[in-house]
Amino acid sequence: MKYLMIALLSILSLSCTKSPEKTPQNFAEKIVAFAIENSDDQFIELPELYDSLTKTIPDDKDEKTILVQILKKKGFKITNWGRGNWPPLGARIIQITLKKDDCECTVNKMYYATMDDSLYEMRERIKCRASH
């Protein structure tokens, strides 16, 4: 009986140490997953998503957003897109709405002017909600 218990414990301990392989998620991917899971229609802003400033605001066709790319990998499709200043003389903002099943997410990318008028700080934020 003693040897049977040792054998069973050995098998159990081996199975616990071998966890299923997970694809590691970076911080932005974790934030997107959190926004989707909670779907509470509250923005989560990532002020340090970009590690450098930019000199230009890209044209519509060249615009790249990190959070939108993550959502697209998860099967979300763009349903709406817009651009403007927020507030009227404030940051330049790009707003993209994406949907998958009954979940709708809005991603905003903001360009804030810096003390150096030729550089912009970039930020992104996301919120998701269950669509009805």
Side-chain angles (χ1 to χ4, degrees):
M1 181 71 169
K2 179 178 170 182
Y3 294 110
L4 181 60
M5 285 299 276
I6 292 173
L8 285 173
L9 288 174
S10 297
I11 292 170
L12 287 175
S13 68
L14 287 176
S15 66
C16 290
T17 58
K18 182 105 174 158
S19 61
E21 298 272 331
K22 281 188 175 180
T23 305
Q25 289 184 315
N26 67 28
F27 183 73
E29 290 170 333
K30 290 177 184 177
I31 294 299
V32 168
F34 178 82
I36 292 168
E37 288 171 18
N38 291 287
S39 299
D40 62 359
D41 207 25
Q42 297 290 315
F43 272 114
I44 302 168
E45 187 165 328
L46 303 171
E48 296 176 1
L49 189 58
Y50 295 89
D51 58 0
S52 62
L53 301 175
T54 186
K55 292 182 180 183
T56 60
I57 298 174
D59 291 332
D60 294 352
K61 63 180 175 38
D62 298 324
E63 185 64 61
K64 301 284 187 258
T65 56
I66 293 171
L67 300 179
V68 168
Q69 297 308 313
I70 294 169
L71 286 166
K72 284 181 171 181
K73 285 182 193 175
K74 293 181 171 291
F76 281 77
K77 303 289 183 207
I78 295 176
T79 59
N80 199 1
W81 192 93
R83 167 185 297 253
N85 289 333
W86 176 78
L89 297 175
R92 184 74 168 159
I93 187 168
I94 288 83
Q95 181 168 302
I96 302 166
T97 305
L98 301 97
K99 187 172 181 180
K100 179 182 175 188
D101 302 327
D102 67 340
C103 185
E104 183 176 82
C105 296
T106 300
V107 173
N108 292 341
K109 183 174 183 181
M110 289 86 62
Y111 291 88
Y112 292 99
T114 63
M115 296 300 254
D116 179 350
D117 289 338
S118 63
L119 295 173
Y120 297 95
E121 176 190 350
M122 298 174 290
R123 295 180 179 196
E124 287 189 34
R125 64 184 186 175
I126 183 172
K127 69 176 178 178
C128 298
R129 67 182 175 91
S131 57
H132 304 284

